[in-house]
Amino acid sequence: GAVVSQHPSRVICKSGTSVKIECRSLDFQATTMFWYRQFPKQSLMLMATSNEGSKATYEQGVEKDKFLINHASLTLSTLTVTSAHPEDSSFYICSASSASRNQPQHFGDGTRLSIL
Amino acid sequence: AQSVTQPDIHITVSEGASLELRCNYSYGATPYLFWYVQSPGQGLQLLLKYFSGDTLVQGIKGFEAEFKRSQSSFNLRKPSVHWSDAAEYFCAGGGGSQGNLIFGKGTKLSVKP
């Protein structure tokens, strides 16, 4: 089956640090990648949708200057949390989908971000 | 507005018992429907999907789901639950212009011995 690798799995860092999370599709070309945030015991909240080679589309209320997304290739998208603060602590999950609209999303294992 | 609803927040079943997790959707047209499972601290794994055709869909790990248009439902079933099935289950609807998904709030499944 399709495999999506997300790295790192866990990050603990000081307030003010910028953190980069990578999402890679290992065995298929992901024209679209999605970034989600999940709060404890809650569902996934879509943050942004990125298509390879173009700017990401952010959901309402998500700061694009805070959460920088780059989707430079068909197998890699990155999310950078800039100048992270404790309120940014969360579980971040990426997913990837191939070209067709009706293809399912395949999820990475998530990144637990803790800002001290 | 499009929405996916999972009415049950938490369900507990005995090992070996049957399971049904409910999912209702509200879409203008028939959406693409998915069930995902999430173990603690992990990402989501696709169990099964429905796009069109046969309304009874078979998935991995012995799960199946039935699409019922008249009830706007896509309930997940398993005839005999194993302790390893304890996890969070998410129903999702797709079909947006970029393939984005709308998730239900999830149902936590606990399995008692």
Side-chain angles (χ1 to χ4, degrees), chain A residues 38 43 51 101-102 105 108-109, chain B residues 36 38 43 51 95 98-99 101 104:
Chain A
Q38 187 178 29
S43 188
N51 291 294
R101 275 181 54 192
N102 62 354
Q105 293 179 25
D109 283 338
Chain B
Y36 287 89
Q38 183 182 34
F51 293 152
Q98 296 201 77
L101 294 176

Side-chain angles (χ1 to χ4, degrees), chain A residues 12-81:
Chain A
I12 302 173
C13 57
K14 293 181 179 180
S15 184
T17 306
S18 291
V19 179
K20 179 184 282 188
I21 303 170
E22 291 188 350
C23 182
R24 294 180 184 272
S25 58
L26 298 185
D27 54 358
F28 68 102
Q29 293 187 327
T31 51
T32 307
M33 286 188 171
F34 304 86
W35 287 96
Y36 295 87
R37 184 172 180 175
Q38 187 178 29
F39 293 100
K41 299 184 180 181
Q42 295 196 25
S43 188
L44 282 73
M45 180 190 78
L46 179 65
M47 298 175 65
T49 303
S50 73
N51 291 294
E52 184 263 340
S54 56
K55 289 184 178 179
T57 301
Y58 289 81
E59 295 299 301
Q60 191 173 9
V62 178
E63 299 176 60
K64 62 178 69 175
D65 296 329
K66 176 76 171 178
F67 299 100
L68 301 178
I69 291 172
N70 183 280
H71 190 169
S73 77
L74 285 171
T75 60
L76 174 64
S77 176
T78 61
L79 167 68
T80 301
V81 184

